[in-house]
Amino acid sequence: MNNHLKGYLLPLFLSTMDFTGRDVVSIKDFSKKEIEAILSYAKTMIPYAKGEKTTDLLKGKVLSTLFFEPSTRTRFSFESAMNRLGGHVIGFAEPSATSQKKGESLADTVRMADAYSDLIVLRHHQEGAARLAAEFANAPVLNAGDGAGQHPTQCLLDLFTIITEKKRIKGKTIALLGDLKYGRTVHSLAYALAMFGAELTFVSPKSLAMPKEVISEITQFNIEPYATASLEAALKDADVLYVTRIQRERFPDAEEYNKVVGTYKVDTALLEKAKINLIIMHPLPRVTEIDPEVDKTPHAVYFTQAFNGVPVRMALLSLLSGRKLA
Ligand code: CP
């Protein structure tokens, strides 16, 4: 799979770029060339991410993981990434076990993480929390998801997965399906895919349509997304189907959630109408939107996608620390 990244991405960019000390709050903080350089570097991390090679690159460095919302992939893969680089991890997965419970502010918690560590990963339910944290910390802050806002490191691993599986993004038809209103992964990804020249289709119930602000940002890249509620209509031309969960926890009103839950289900019968080389992605967790039978088909790449979080996050931790593999 590594060969696909060769030639498409240009490692030479990396030598002219310095990411030391930068925050990663939004995918919009990066240029296309910077993204290409990060993804190219992530490719070199794969044997380390798999444990086939070892390194002490970040020996003596400490990463704080501050998770105010549940997570499996993002937290575990950041922790795996830091451990694989020879660094250490402190943090929490449950804020009620910290002094937040006594009323401490987010700003003060971030100040403490800044005092005790060299890099800070933050997941929070409030949109804008990571940007706020970056103002209170000298250490780089990596946004691991802020409410319905952004999830930039997920976006990088999604781009990495598409390039690895499909060789390029430009000209590929990519359908984003499900909760496009509250889904932070698709907000980040739609912007980046437009930047890379993909043909975009947005598939959702009307009440969960992609926000106007995201669409308006995309148009700067001369991309005109096609929006539909019909998965069947979108599927026939798609090279990539990016499925998302309809997120109960983001709905202010349970009745609104009940109206749309279960709207889409990707199963093997549906996939008979798809291109033979269609890949199906999902940031996970999934609930009912992808039938487990699909896991056995060559279309399913979502578990590989989840693994890709490790090399991509290793690359980021290395670059933000100003220590690169030779
Ligand atoms: N993709 C993702 O953000 O998964 P988690 O919520 O498990 O971290």
Side-chain angles (χ1 to χ4, degrees):
M1 84 177 178
N2 299 358
N3 287 341
H4 291 168
L5 286 157
K6 278 184 196 151
Y8 179 80
L9 301 170
L10 302 172
L12 63 93
F13 286 146
L14 199 56
S15 59
T16 63
M17 291 174 190
D18 186 8
F19 292 88
T20 311
R22 275 178 67 170
D23 300 308
V24 181
V25 173
S26 166
I27 197 67
K28 290 174 260 179
D29 297 341
F30 292 119
S31 68
K32 185 165 175 263
K33 278 194 167 56
E34 286 176 330
I35 293 173
E36 288 178 331
I38 294 165
L39 300 187
S40 170
Y41 185 48
K43 180 186 59 156
T44 67
M45 290 292 180
I46 288 176
Y48 300 94
K50 289 181 171 170
E52 293 164 359
K53 285 187 184 177
T54 58
T55 175
D56 272 338
L57 190 68
L58 295 193
K59 190 175 177 182
K61 295 280 184 187
V62 178
L63 172 72
S64 286
T65 54
L66 314 182
F67 277 73
F68 289 82
E69 276 194 331
S71 168
T72 298
R73 280 143 292 275
T74 311
R75 189 168 69 84
F76 287 12
S77 62
F78 261 118
E79 294 192 4
S80 175
M82 192 62 178
N83 286 317
R84 295 283 196 199
L85 289 167
H88 298 281
V89 182
I90 59 172
F92 58 84
E94 177 45 73
S96 64
T98 75
S99 287
Q100 286 276 322
K101 185 82 175 167
K102 303 175 209 163
E104 187 162 68
S105 66
L106 173 64
D108 282 358
T109 302
V110 168
R111 283 187 176 107
M112 295 306 99
D114 196 34
Y116 303 144
S117 65
D118 306 293
L119 298 140
I120 300 169
V121 175
L122 174 71
R123 170 168 288 188
H124 201 276
H125 44 86
Q126 277 178 352
E127 203 170 323
R131 189 70 74 193
L132 179 83
E135 285 173 22
F136 289 98
N138 291 315
V141 171
L142 295 107
N143 182 4
D146 60 332
Q150 293 273 323
H151 196 346
T153 65
Q154 177 73 42
C155 180
L156 289 170
L157 77 88
D158 291 341
L159 297 174
F160 185 85
T161 303
I162 297 170
I163 294 168
T164 302
E165 300 289 333
K166 291 297 202 184
K167 300 187 182 158
R168 62 185 167 82
I169 295 173
K170 192 174 170 59
K172 295 290 177 194
T173 299
I174 301 181
L176 307 183
L177 170 74
D179 180 357
L180 308 187
K181 179 178 180 183
Y182 298 114
R184 57 194 174 202
T185 63
V186 284
H187 297 165
S188 298
L189 188 59
Y191 178 90
L193 291 174
M195 185 195 264
F196 277 77
E199 302 290 333
L200 292 175
T201 307
F202 296 154
V203 193
S204 71
K206 212 168 182 180
S207 63
L208 294 180
M210 188 64 87
K212 284 193 174 64
E213 314 83 75
V214 177
I215 295 176
S216 139
E217 282 168 353
I218 284 171
T219 51
Q220 70 176 285
F221 302 112
N222 296 322
I223 298 293
E224 284 201 25
Y226 167 65
T228 176
S230 166
L231 172 55
E232 283 78 4
L235 190 68
K236 61 180 177 20
D237 295 321
D239 299 300
V240 178
L241 177 64
Y242 190 98
V243 186
T244 63
R245 176 176 63 97
I246 295 184
Q247 306 169 94
R248 184 197 294 267
E249 67 273 24
R250 303 272 177 240
F251 281 74
D253 179 350
E255 212 172 291
E256 288 306 306
Y257 170 77
N258 289 332
K259 280 185 200 161
V260 288
V261 64
T263 306
Y264 302 110
K265 180 151 190 155
V266 178
D267 57 23
T268 48
L270 179 86
L271 290 174
E272 284 172 18
K273 297 169 196 137
K275 281 186 180 176
I276 194 160
N277 293 326
L278 171 80
I279 61 166
I280 301 173
M281 298 174 64
H282 193 309
L284 303 177
R286 66 171 157 181
V287 276
T288 56
E289 61 278 3
I290 299 181
D291 190 300
E293 279 293 309
V294 175
D295 302 357
K296 299 179 204 147
T297 73
H299 299 294
V301 302
Y302 28 89
F303 296 124
T304 304
Q305 177 188 359
F307 163 76
N308 288 341
V310 181
V312 168
R313 290 176 173 128
M314 287 175 80
L316 279 173
L317 295 175
S318 160
L319 292 170
L320 302 184
S321 300
R323 291 190 197 169
K324 286 184 232 169
L325 283 174

PDB file of all heavy atoms in Angstrom, residues 94-121:
ATOM      1  N   GLU A  94     -11.925  10.728  31.336  1.00  0.00           N
ATOM      2  CA  GLU A  94     -13.183  10.974  32.046  1.00  0.00           C
ATOM      3  C   GLU A  94     -13.004  12.207  32.933  1.00  0.00           C
ATOM      4  O   GLU A  94     -12.358  12.137  33.977  1.00  0.00           O
ATOM      5  CB  GLU A  94     -13.493   9.710  32.874  1.00  0.00           C
ATOM      6  CG  GLU A  94     -14.720   9.800  33.736  1.00  0.00           C
ATOM      7  CD  GLU A  94     -15.916  10.389  33.029  1.00  0.00           C
ATOM      8  OE1 GLU A  94     -16.512   9.713  32.175  1.00  0.00           O
ATOM      9  OE2 GLU A  94     -16.248  11.557  33.336  1.00  0.00           O
ATOM     10  N   PRO A  95     -13.520  13.362  32.518  1.00  0.00           N
ATOM     11  CA  PRO A  95     -13.232  14.596  33.267  1.00  0.00           C
ATOM     12  C   PRO A  95     -13.745  14.596  34.697  1.00  0.00           C
ATOM     13  O   PRO A  95     -13.239  15.329  35.537  1.00  0.00           O
ATOM     14  CB  PRO A  95     -13.924  15.685  32.433  1.00  0.00           C
ATOM     15  CG  PRO A  95     -14.886  14.977  31.549  1.00  0.00           C
ATOM     16  CD  PRO A  95     -14.346  13.595  31.336  1.00  0.00           C
ATOM     17  N   SER A  96     -14.729  13.729  35.005  1.00  0.00           N
ATOM     18  CA  SER A  96     -15.278  13.728  36.374  1.00  0.00           C
ATOM     19  C   SER A  96     -14.246  13.235  37.387  1.00  0.00           C
ATOM     20  O   SER A  96     -14.415  13.409  38.587  1.00  0.00           O
ATOM     21  CB  SER A  96     -16.544  12.879  36.446  1.00  0.00           C
ATOM     22  OG  SER A  96     -16.224  11.541  36.175  1.00  0.00           O
ATOM     23  N   ALA A  97     -13.151  12.635  36.894  1.00  0.00           N
ATOM     24  CA  ALA A  97     -12.088  12.180  37.805  1.00  0.00           C
ATOM     25  C   ALA A  97     -11.023  13.265  37.985  1.00  0.00           C
ATOM     26  O   ALA A  97      -9.975  13.007  38.573  1.00  0.00           O
ATOM     27  CB  ALA A  97     -11.461  10.900  37.262  1.00  0.00           C
ATOM     28  N   THR A  98     -11.265  14.451  37.462  1.00  0.00           N
ATOM     29  CA  THR A  98     -10.286  15.544  37.577  1.00  0.00           C
ATOM     30  C   THR A  98     -10.909  16.700  38.368  1.00  0.00           C
ATOM     31  O   THR A  98     -12.090  16.650  38.744  1.00  0.00           O
ATOM     32  CB  THR A  98      -9.888  16.083  36.185  1.00  0.00           C
ATOM     33  OG1 THR A  98     -10.972  16.891  35.687  1.00  0.00           O
ATOM     34  CG2 THR A  98      -9.593  14.967  35.201  1.00  0.00           C
ATOM     35  N   SER A  99     -10.150  17.768  38.540  1.00  0.00           N
ATOM     36  CA  SER A  99     -10.660  18.918  39.299  1.00  0.00           C
ATOM     37  C   SER A  99     -11.702  19.723  38.520  1.00  0.00           C
ATOM     38  O   SER A  99     -12.243  20.701  39.039  1.00  0.00           O
ATOM     39  CB  SER A  99      -9.504  19.801  39.762  1.00  0.00           C
ATOM     40  OG  SER A  99      -8.828  19.145  40.815  1.00  0.00           O
ATOM     41  N   GLN A 100     -12.010  19.306  37.311  1.00  0.00           N
ATOM     42  CA  GLN A 100     -13.183  19.848  36.611  1.00  0.00           C
ATOM     43  C   GLN A 100     -14.422  19.632  37.478  1.00  0.00           C
ATOM     44  O   GLN A 100     -15.318  20.463  37.528  1.00  0.00           O
ATOM     45  CB  GLN A 100     -13.377  19.119  35.274  1.00  0.00           C
ATOM     46  CG  GLN A 100     -12.375  19.502  34.209  1.00  0.00           C
ATOM     47  CD  GLN A 100     -12.771  20.766  33.470  1.00  0.00           C
ATOM     48  OE1 GLN A 100     -13.944  20.980  33.193  1.00  0.00           O
ATOM     49  NE2 GLN A 100     -11.802  21.602  33.161  1.00  0.00           N
ATOM     50  N   LYS A 101     -14.457  18.496  38.146  1.00  0.00           N
ATOM     51  CA  LYS A 101     -15.574  18.116  39.020  1.00  0.00           C
ATOM     52  C   LYS A 101     -15.761  19.155  40.140  1.00  0.00           C
ATOM     53  O   LYS A 101     -16.864  19.336  40.639  1.00  0.00           O
ATOM     54  CB  LYS A 101     -15.250  16.730  39.604  1.00  0.00           C
ATOM     55  CG  LYS A 101     -16.309  16.106  40.440  1.00  0.00           C
ATOM     56  CD  LYS A 101     -17.357  15.424  39.620  1.00  0.00           C
ATOM     57  CE  LYS A 101     -18.346  14.687  40.501  1.00  0.00           C
ATOM     58  NZ  LYS A 101     -19.534  14.269  39.800  1.00  0.00           N
ATOM     59  N   LYS A 102     -14.642  19.836  40.515  1.00  0.00           N
ATOM     60  CA  LYS A 102     -14.716  20.846  41.585  1.00  0.00           C
ATOM     61  C   LYS A 102     -14.978  22.230  41.017  1.00  0.00           C
ATOM     62  O   LYS A 102     -14.897  23.223  41.725  1.00  0.00           O
ATOM     63  CB  LYS A 102     -13.410  20.852  42.380  1.00  0.00           C
ATOM     64  CG  LYS A 102     -13.024  19.528  42.993  1.00  0.00           C
ATOM     65  CD  LYS A 102     -11.644  19.645  43.644  1.00  0.00           C
ATOM     66  CE  LYS A 102     -10.920  18.318  43.636  1.00  0.00           C
ATOM     67  NZ  LYS A 102      -9.484  18.478  43.867  1.00  0.00           N
ATOM     68  N   GLY A 103     -15.153  22.293  39.684  1.00  0.00           N
ATOM     69  CA  GLY A 103     -15.480  23.575  39.072  1.00  0.00           C
ATOM     70  C   GLY A 103     -14.318  24.260  38.390  1.00  0.00           C
ATOM     71  O   GLY A 103     -14.428  25.427  37.979  1.00  0.00           O
ATOM     72  N   GLU A 104     -13.198  23.558  38.213  1.00  0.00           N
ATOM     73  CA  GLU A 104     -12.057  24.190  37.523  1.00  0.00           C
ATOM     74  C   GLU A 104     -12.427  24.498  36.076  1.00  0.00           C
ATOM     75  O   GLU A 104     -13.125  23.717  35.425  1.00  0.00           O
ATOM     76  CB  GLU A 104     -10.840  23.259  37.573  1.00  0.00           C
ATOM     77  CG  GLU A 104      -9.582  23.922  37.016  1.00  0.00           C
ATOM     78  CD  GLU A 104      -8.307  23.204  37.446  1.00  0.00           C
ATOM     79  OE1 GLU A 104      -8.097  22.067  36.989  1.00  0.00           O
ATOM     80  OE2 GLU A 104      -7.531  23.782  38.231  1.00  0.00           O
ATOM     81  N   SER A 105     -11.925  25.623  35.574  1.00  0.00           N
ATOM     82  CA  SER A 105     -12.242  26.030  34.201  1.00  0.00           C
ATOM     83  C   SER A 105     -11.390  25.244  33.200  1.00  0.00           C
ATOM     84  O   SER A 105     -10.320  24.713  33.554  1.00  0.00           O
ATOM     85  CB  SER A 105     -11.953  27.520  34.022  1.00  0.00           C
ATOM     86  OG  SER A 105     -10.562  27.741  34.146  1.00  0.00           O
ATOM     87  N   LEU A 106     -11.853  25.230  31.954  1.00  0.00           N
ATOM     88  CA  LEU A 106     -11.070  24.603  30.885  1.00  0.00           C
ATOM     89  C   LEU A 106      -9.708  25.282  30.772  1.00  0.00           C
ATOM     90  O   LEU A 106      -8.678  24.622  30.632  1.00  0.00           O
ATOM     91  CB  LEU A 106     -11.830  24.700  29.547  1.00  0.00           C
ATOM     92  CG  LEU A 106     -11.055  24.229  28.318  1.00  0.00           C
ATOM     93  CD1 LEU A 106     -10.730  22.746  28.404  1.00  0.00           C
ATOM     94  CD2 LEU A 106     -11.846  24.517  27.037  1.00  0.00           C
ATOM     95  N   ALA A 107      -9.694  26.607  30.865  1.00  0.00           N
ATOM     96  CA  ALA A 107      -8.435  27.356  30.726  1.00  0.00           C
ATOM     97  C   ALA A 107      -7.420  26.908  31.773  1.00  0.00           C
ATOM     98  O   ALA A 107      -6.238  26.697  31.444  1.00  0.00           O
ATOM     99  CB  ALA A 107      -8.711  28.849  30.859  1.00  0.00           C
ATOM    100  N   ASP A 108      -7.859  26.716  33.004  1.00  0.00           N
ATOM    101  CA  ASP A 108      -6.923  26.309  34.057  1.00  0.00           C
ATOM    102  C   ASP A 108      -6.461  24.866  33.872  1.00  0.00           C
ATOM    103  O   ASP A 108      -5.297  24.542  34.126  1.00  0.00           O
ATOM    104  CB  ASP A 108      -7.549  26.501  35.448  1.00  0.00           C
ATOM    105  CG  ASP A 108      -7.513  27.973  35.878  1.00  0.00           C
ATOM    106  OD1 ASP A 108      -6.978  28.808  35.115  1.00  0.00           O
ATOM    107  OD2 ASP A 108      -8.028  28.277  36.972  1.00  0.00           O
ATOM    108  N   THR A 109      -7.354  24.006  33.432  1.00  0.00           N
ATOM    109  CA  THR A 109      -6.949  22.612  33.166  1.00  0.00           C
ATOM    110  C   THR A 109      -5.891  22.597  32.062  1.00  0.00           C
ATOM    111  O   THR A 109      -4.889  21.879  32.157  1.00  0.00           O
ATOM    112  CB  THR A 109      -8.175  21.760  32.756  1.00  0.00           C
ATOM    113  OG1 THR A 109      -9.139  21.833  33.806  1.00  0.00           O
ATOM    114  CG2 THR A 109      -7.800  20.312  32.523  1.00  0.00           C
ATOM    115  N   VAL A 110      -6.100  23.405  31.034  1.00  0.00           N
ATOM    116  CA  VAL A 110      -5.140  23.470  29.932  1.00  0.00           C
ATOM    117  C   VAL A 110      -3.810  24.050  30.427  1.00  0.00           C
ATOM    118  O   VAL A 110      -2.729  23.564  30.055  1.00  0.00           O
ATOM    119  CB  VAL A 110      -5.715  24.303  28.759  1.00  0.00           C
ATOM    120  CG1 VAL A 110      -4.649  24.628  27.730  1.00  0.00           C
ATOM    121  CG2 VAL A 110      -6.871  23.547  28.111  1.00  0.00           C
ATOM    122  N   ARG A 111      -3.866  25.058  31.280  1.00  0.00           N
ATOM    123  CA  ARG A 111      -2.622  25.629  31.847  1.00  0.00           C
ATOM    124  C   ARG A 111      -1.819  24.546  32.579  1.00  0.00           C
ATOM    125  O   ARG A 111      -0.593  24.524  32.516  1.00  0.00           O
ATOM    126  CB  ARG A 111      -2.957  26.757  32.827  1.00  0.00           C
ATOM    127  CG  ARG A 111      -3.344  28.061  32.169  1.00  0.00           C
ATOM    128  CD  ARG A 111      -3.485  29.156  33.238  1.00  0.00           C
ATOM    129  NE  ARG A 111      -3.775  30.440  32.647  1.00  0.00           N
ATOM    130  CZ  ARG A 111      -4.974  31.045  32.700  1.00  0.00           C
ATOM    131  NH1 ARG A 111      -5.987  30.477  33.315  1.00  0.00           N
ATOM    132  NH2 ARG A 111      -5.148  32.225  32.136  1.00  0.00           N
ATOM    133  N   MET A 112      -2.526  23.675  33.302  1.00  0.00           N
ATOM    134  CA  MET A 112      -1.835  22.605  34.030  1.00  0.00           C
ATOM    135  C   MET A 112      -1.189  21.613  33.059  1.00  0.00           C
ATOM    136  O   MET A 112      -0.055  21.194  33.248  1.00  0.00           O
ATOM    137  CB  MET A 112      -2.809  21.878  34.979  1.00  0.00           C
ATOM    138  CG  MET A 112      -3.349  22.753  36.099  1.00  0.00           C
ATOM    139  SD  MET A 112      -2.032  23.559  37.064  1.00  0.00           S
ATOM    140  CE  MET A 112      -1.968  25.190  36.364  1.00  0.00           C
ATOM    141  N   ALA A 113      -1.947  21.238  32.024  1.00  0.00           N
ATOM    142  CA  ALA A 113      -1.396  20.313  31.027  1.00  0.00           C
ATOM    143  C   ALA A 113      -0.159  20.937  30.376  1.00  0.00           C
ATOM    144  O   ALA A 113       0.833  20.249  30.095  1.00  0.00           O
ATOM    145  CB  ALA A 113      -2.449  20.001  29.970  1.00  0.00           C
ATOM    146  N   ASP A 114      -0.216  22.234  30.185  1.00  0.00           N
ATOM    147  CA  ASP A 114       0.917  22.952  29.584  1.00  0.00           C
ATOM    148  C   ASP A 114       2.142  22.884  30.504  1.00  0.00           C
ATOM    149  O   ASP A 114       3.280  22.754  30.037  1.00  0.00           O
ATOM    150  CB  ASP A 114       0.492  24.410  29.351  1.00  0.00           C
ATOM    151  CG  ASP A 114       1.421  25.136  28.407  1.00  0.00           C
ATOM    152  OD1 ASP A 114       1.956  24.490  27.473  1.00  0.00           O
ATOM    153  OD2 ASP A 114       1.635  26.344  28.595  1.00  0.00           O
ATOM    154  N   ALA A 115       1.887  22.959  31.807  1.00  0.00           N
ATOM    155  CA  ALA A 115       2.996  22.915  32.773  1.00  0.00           C
ATOM    156  C   ALA A 115       3.608  21.522  32.869  1.00  0.00           C
ATOM    157  O   ALA A 115       4.796  21.386  33.160  1.00  0.00           O
ATOM    158  CB  ALA A 115       2.492  23.350  34.150  1.00  0.00           C
ATOM    159  N   TYR A 116       2.793  20.494  32.624  1.00  0.00           N
ATOM    160  CA  TYR A 116       3.247  19.126  32.865  1.00  0.00           C
ATOM    161  C   TYR A 116       3.657  18.381  31.598  1.00  0.00           C
ATOM    162  O   TYR A 116       4.083  17.224  31.691  1.00  0.00           O
ATOM    163  CB  TYR A 116       2.132  18.312  33.553  1.00  0.00           C
ATOM    164  CG  TYR A 116       1.622  18.883  34.859  1.00  0.00           C
ATOM    165  CD1 TYR A 116       0.281  18.773  35.207  1.00  0.00           C
ATOM    166  CD2 TYR A 116       2.483  19.514  35.748  1.00  0.00           C
ATOM    167  CE1 TYR A 116      -0.193  19.286  36.409  1.00  0.00           C
ATOM    168  CE2 TYR A 116       2.011  20.039  36.946  1.00  0.00           C
ATOM    169  CZ  TYR A 116       0.673  19.927  37.270  1.00  0.00           C
ATOM    170  OH  TYR A 116       0.202  20.432  38.458  1.00  0.00           O
ATOM    171  N   SER A 117       3.464  18.983  30.431  1.00  0.00           N
ATOM    172  CA  SER A 117       3.724  18.204  29.203  1.00  0.00           C
ATOM    173  C   SER A 117       4.203  19.091  28.059  1.00  0.00           C
ATOM    174  O   SER A 117       4.233  20.318  28.180  1.00  0.00           O
ATOM    175  CB  SER A 117       2.453  17.451  28.792  1.00  0.00           C
ATOM    176  OG  SER A 117       1.432  18.361  28.442  1.00  0.00           O
ATOM    177  N   ASP A 118       4.542  18.456  26.946  1.00  0.00           N
ATOM    178  CA  ASP A 118       5.109  19.162  25.792  1.00  0.00           C
ATOM    179  C   ASP A 118       4.128  19.302  24.634  1.00  0.00           C
ATOM    180  O   ASP A 118       4.349  20.111  23.720  1.00  0.00           O
ATOM    181  CB  ASP A 118       6.347  18.389  25.295  1.00  0.00           C
ATOM    182  CG  ASP A 118       7.342  18.174  26.420  1.00  0.00           C
ATOM    183  OD1 ASP A 118       7.918  19.158  26.892  1.00  0.00           O
ATOM    184  OD2 ASP A 118       7.493  17.013  26.873  1.00  0.00           O
ATOM    185  N   LEU A 119       3.093  18.481  24.646  1.00  0.00           N
ATOM    186  CA  LEU A 119       2.078  18.500  23.585  1.00  0.00           C
ATOM    187  C   LEU A 119       0.729  18.192  24.242  1.00  0.00           C
ATOM    188  O   LEU A 119       0.674  17.391  25.177  1.00  0.00           O
ATOM    189  CB  LEU A 119       2.340  17.409  22.544  1.00  0.00           C
ATOM    190  CG  LEU A 119       3.654  17.491  21.768  1.00  0.00           C
ATOM    191  CD1 LEU A 119       4.250  16.098  21.601  1.00  0.00           C
ATOM    192  CD2 LEU A 119       3.432  18.123  20.407  1.00  0.00           C
ATOM    193  N   ILE A 120      -0.341  18.824  23.729  1.00  0.00           N
ATOM    194  CA  ILE A 120      -1.657  18.643  24.353  1.00  0.00           C
ATOM    195  C   ILE A 120      -2.679  18.228  23.295  1.00  0.00           C
ATOM    196  O   ILE A 120      -2.831  18.913  22.281  1.00  0.00           O
ATOM    197  CB  ILE A 120      -2.135  19.959  25.017  1.00  0.00           C
ATOM    198  CG1 ILE A 120      -1.133  20.400  26.100  1.00  0.00           C
ATOM    199  CG2 ILE A 120      -3.539  19.801  25.601  1.00  0.00           C
ATOM    200  CD1 ILE A 120      -1.368  21.811  26.631  1.00  0.00           C
ATOM    201  N   VAL A 121      -3.355  17.120  23.565  1.00  0.00           N
ATOM    202  CA  VAL A 121      -4.468  16.691  22.706  1.00  0.00           C
ATOM    203  C   VAL A 121      -5.762  16.940  23.476  1.00  0.00           C
ATOM    204  O   VAL A 121      -5.878  16.535  24.634  1.00  0.00           O
ATOM    205  CB  VAL A 121      -4.346  15.188  22.359  1.00  0.00           C
ATOM    206  CG1 VAL A 121      -5.561  14.721  21.582  1.00  0.00           C
ATOM    207  CG2 VAL A 121      -3.083  14.924  21.567  1.00  0.00           C
TER     208      VAL A 121
END
